[in-house]
Amino acid sequence: MTDRTRSLVIDTDTGSDDAVALIMAFNHPDCTVRAVTVVAGNVPLESCVRNALITADLVGQQQVPVFVGLHKPLLRPLETAAGIHGDDGMSGAQLPDPSRQADRQHAVQALLDIADQEPGQHILVTLGPLSNIATALLIDPQLLTKFQHTYMMVGAADGIGNVNAVAEFNAWVDPEAAALVFAAPGAKTMIGWDVCRKNTVMRAEDETRILAAGPIGQFASDIRRQVREFSIELNGASDHEFPDPAAMAVALDESLIVESDYRHMLVSTDEQTRGLTFADYGLPAKAPTVRVITTLDEAGFKAQLFAALSGL
Ligand code: RIB
Ligand code: CA
């Protein structure tokens, strides 16, 4: 590892955008992936695990341990996004079976052990509902202080959701978990749906560049077919946001952050506004808990994405 090398622990509900985010980490010259922990979200847990293993195989990263985590949110039944990513989370693309099984240790125990035995050595990146992280926090409230930084694709800083009017999917699936993580000590950065809508939309020309990237680009395109079709149905065009790659890009290169501020972020757990993430500006003033990114360097994000997909 060079002194610039970042070591990542990635928590994921491996759907199609998570898979591309994993490839960005696996293929980044200055990044090693210490572990992948899997949580149910986009699709049921076993499909998320399968997709993570397949993605690691694709880029020759079979040595990276993959740990199986929670099969449902802390308190609620699992509600998936199969309607968007496909029942398998990968648009039903023809994919080879994984070359291996997941590791036997539970993901929550793996998170606790890595944090305890390798404190300060890794960056934590979360790409799905925060059920695994919250469970680990219930055991070790200091968990996040043992990572250099936690980058989370979760919530929406402007309160405009993708599941409904107010809630972004990862916060909505397990709002109790998100609330626990936001309140926990430790340096945290939120990449929300707002900045994804603003700076990460994949347009026709971007899809052309993805396909031109070669076999990995073809994979990245095939597994997002249903996302494109969903976008056409919803908006009349295949343009769509790319949330998990955006969060991963920031974790790999903070120079992509154009605007951010620090807020005391809360998550609603009531039924009407479940998953709404909002800042508490009330008095007495409360200490900020999360750095919230509000603008990303779109060109820089896409350059990192295309480089990863072409294996550069
Ligand atoms: O709202 C977008 C997020 O929900 C992404 O992480 C996507 O993969 C889904 O998990
Ligand atoms: Ca995800």
Side-chain angles (χ1 to χ4, degrees), residues 10 12-27 33 36 38 47-64 66 88-90 95-100 127 216 219-220 223 248 309:
I10 305 169
T12 173
D13 63 331
T14 330
S16 59
D17 64 319
D18 303 68
V20 174
L22 288 172
I23 291 170
M24 291 169 71
F26 285 139
N27 277 358
V33 178
V36 174
V38 187
S47 293
C48 295
V49 173
R50 173 181 163 84
N51 296 338
L53 291 167
I54 288 171
T55 303
D57 283 349
L58 177 79
V59 289
Q61 296 286 323
Q62 294 89 335
Q63 78 287 357
V64 176
V66 174
D88 65 351
M90 306 284 256
L95 301 172
D97 288 337
S99 64
R100 60 178 165 136
L127 306 174
I216 298 175
F219 168 83
I223 63 175
M248 185 58 75
L309 295 179

Side-chain angles (χ1 to χ4, degrees), residues 12 15 22 34 125 132 135 154 186 191 220 247-248 255 287 296 307:
T12 173
L22 288 172
R34 171 65 181 80
V125 182
N132 285 344
T135 303
V154 68
I191 298 93
M248 185 58 75
S255 71
L296 270 185

Side-chain angles (χ1 to χ4, degrees), residues 13 17-18 42 127 153 162 168-170 243-244:
D13 63 331
D17 64 319
D18 303 68
N42 279 314
L127 306 174
M153 194 285 129
N162 56 10
E168 176 279 324
F169 180 78
N170 289 336
D244 293 343

Side-chain angles (χ1 to χ4, degrees), residues 198 201-208 239-240 298 302:
K198 194 166 147 185
V201 173
M202 302 310 287
R203 299 184 174 84
E205 60 270 24
D206 301 312
E207 295 300 336
T208 303
D239 298 1
H240 59 279
E298 178 168 342
K302 292 183 177 179

Side-chain angles (χ1 to χ4, degrees), residues 7-237:
S7 176
L8 268 52
V9 172
I10 305 169
D11 192 69
T12 173
D13 63 331
T14 330
S16 59
D17 64 319
D18 303 68
V20 174
L22 288 172
I23 291 170
M24 291 169 71
F26 285 139
N27 277 358
H28 195 287
D30 296 329
C31 170
T32 61
V33 178
R34 171 65 181 80
V36 174
T37 55
V38 187
V39 65
N42 279 314
V43 286
L45 183 61
E46 52 278 9
S47 293
C48 295
V49 173
R50 173 181 163 84
N51 296 338
L53 291 167
I54 288 171
T55 303
D57 283 349
L58 177 79
V59 289
Q61 296 286 323
Q62 294 89 335
Q63 78 287 357
V64 176
V66 174
F67 299 100
V68 182
L70 270 68
H71 69 286
K72 65 176 286 295
L74 298 182
L75 302 178
R76 299 167 183 267
L78 174 65
E79 299 190 65
T80 71
I84 297 171
H85 295 268
D87 290 342
D88 65 351
M90 306 284 256
S91 300
Q94 289 306 308
L95 301 172
D97 288 337
S99 64
R100 60 178 165 136
Q101 301 285 321
D103 286 64
R104 292 180 54 78
Q105 185 178 43
H106 193 280
V108 170
Q109 192 57 56
L111 285 164
L112 292 165
D113 288 355
I114 290 170
D116 269 347
Q117 295 159 18
E118 304 159 29
Q121 296 182 35
H122 309 294
I123 286 167
L124 178 63
V125 182
T126 71
L127 306 174
L130 291 163
S131 317
N132 285 344
I133 313 303
T135 303
L137 280 166
L138 290 174
I139 298 165
D140 176 4
Q142 297 301 317
L143 176 82
L144 299 187
T145 65
K146 299 170 184 173
F147 288 94
Q148 292 169 9
H149 202 104
T150 298
Y151 296 89
M152 307 176 288
M153 194 285 129
V154 68
D158 62 0
I160 297 174
N162 56 10
V163 172
N164 56 39
V166 298
E168 176 279 324
F169 180 78
N170 289 336
W172 178 81
V173 166
D174 198 341
E176 288 78 14
L180 270 165
V181 174
F182 275 24
K188 300 181 284 292
T189 293
M190 167 182 154
I191 298 93
W193 186 247
D194 52 304
V195 75
C196 297
R197 286 179 23 242
K198 194 166 147 185
N199 300 128
T200 77
V201 173
M202 302 310 287
R203 299 184 174 84
E205 60 270 24
D206 301 312
E207 295 300 336
T208 303
R209 283 192 67 178
I210 287 177
L211 282 170
I216 298 175
Q218 185 66 56
F219 168 83
S221 178
D222 293 348
I223 63 175
R224 288 158 45 247
R225 176 184 55 78
Q226 284 195 238
V227 174
R228 292 191 297 273
E229 288 171 0
F230 175 79
S231 297
I232 290 169
E233 213 175 287
L234 192 68
N235 310 314

